[in-house]
Each structure stands twice: as structure tokens, then as C-alpha cells.
Amino acid sequence: MAAAIYILCALTALSCAVLLLRSYFRRGHRLLLWSGLCFSGMFANNLLLMLDRLVLPERDLSTWRLVVGLAALAPLLYGLIWEDD
């Protein structure tokens, strides 16, 4: 059951990233770019979660997951603080 939830979360983050980035390339609003990059990082974070919990349960990848999660939020944080649009 946990595997299904992890997969659904990863697919949701991927679909959000695709939709946001596609909309950015069509309209050019910078906040869409930062949001799309954030959701791309969240997708990578979900992949690491599945790798950590399902594939390699004997290894602890929590530090790498936290680093990827921080890197995922950094573009959105930058866009919300320093963008003027």
C-alpha cells in the first residue's frame, strides 16, 4: 500500500511540474518557472523516498532527501522573494 502512495505522490509532482513548465514556455511568467522547478525537485525527492523506503531499506538516505527537498524549495523561495512581477 505504501508503494502505491509513493508512486501516486511522485506522479502528482511530475504532472504538476510538466503543467507548470509547459505553461511557462507558453506564457513566459517567471513565477511559473520557479514553481515548475520546485515541483521537479519534489518529484526527485519522491523518487529518493521510494528508493530509500522500498528499494534500499537497509540504507539511510534521509540526509540526501533533505538536501534535495531544500534544493527543490530554493527556486520557489527565490522567485517569491526577489521577482518583481
Side-chain angles (χ1 to χ4, degrees):
M1 185 66 179
I5 293 172
Y6 294 151
I7 290 170
L8 287 174
C9 288
L11 290 176
T12 302
L14 178 64
S15 62
C16 287
V18 167
L19 290 172
L20 286 165
L21 291 173
R22 188 176 68 176
S23 182
Y24 166 71
F25 289 121
R26 286 187 181 161
R27 290 179 179 45
H29 297 293
R30 302 277 296 190
L31 188 57
L32 292 170
L33 172 66
W34 304 126
S35 299
L37 291 176
C38 177
F39 274 98
S40 298
M42 288 183 191
F43 171 67
N45 194 10
N46 282 319
L47 287 180
L48 275 176
L49 177 66
M50 286 190 295
L51 188 67
D52 186 21
R53 299 290 182 184
L54 302 175
V55 179
L56 301 169
E58 67 278 354
R59 298 207 43 190
D60 182 25
L61 298 177
S62 62
T63 304
W64 290 106
R65 287 193 344 244
L66 289 173
V67 168
V68 170
L70 178 64
L73 290 176
L76 185 60
L77 185 63
Y78 171 80
L80 289 173
I81 292 174
W82 282 287
E83 286 292 325
D84 291 340
D85 295 334

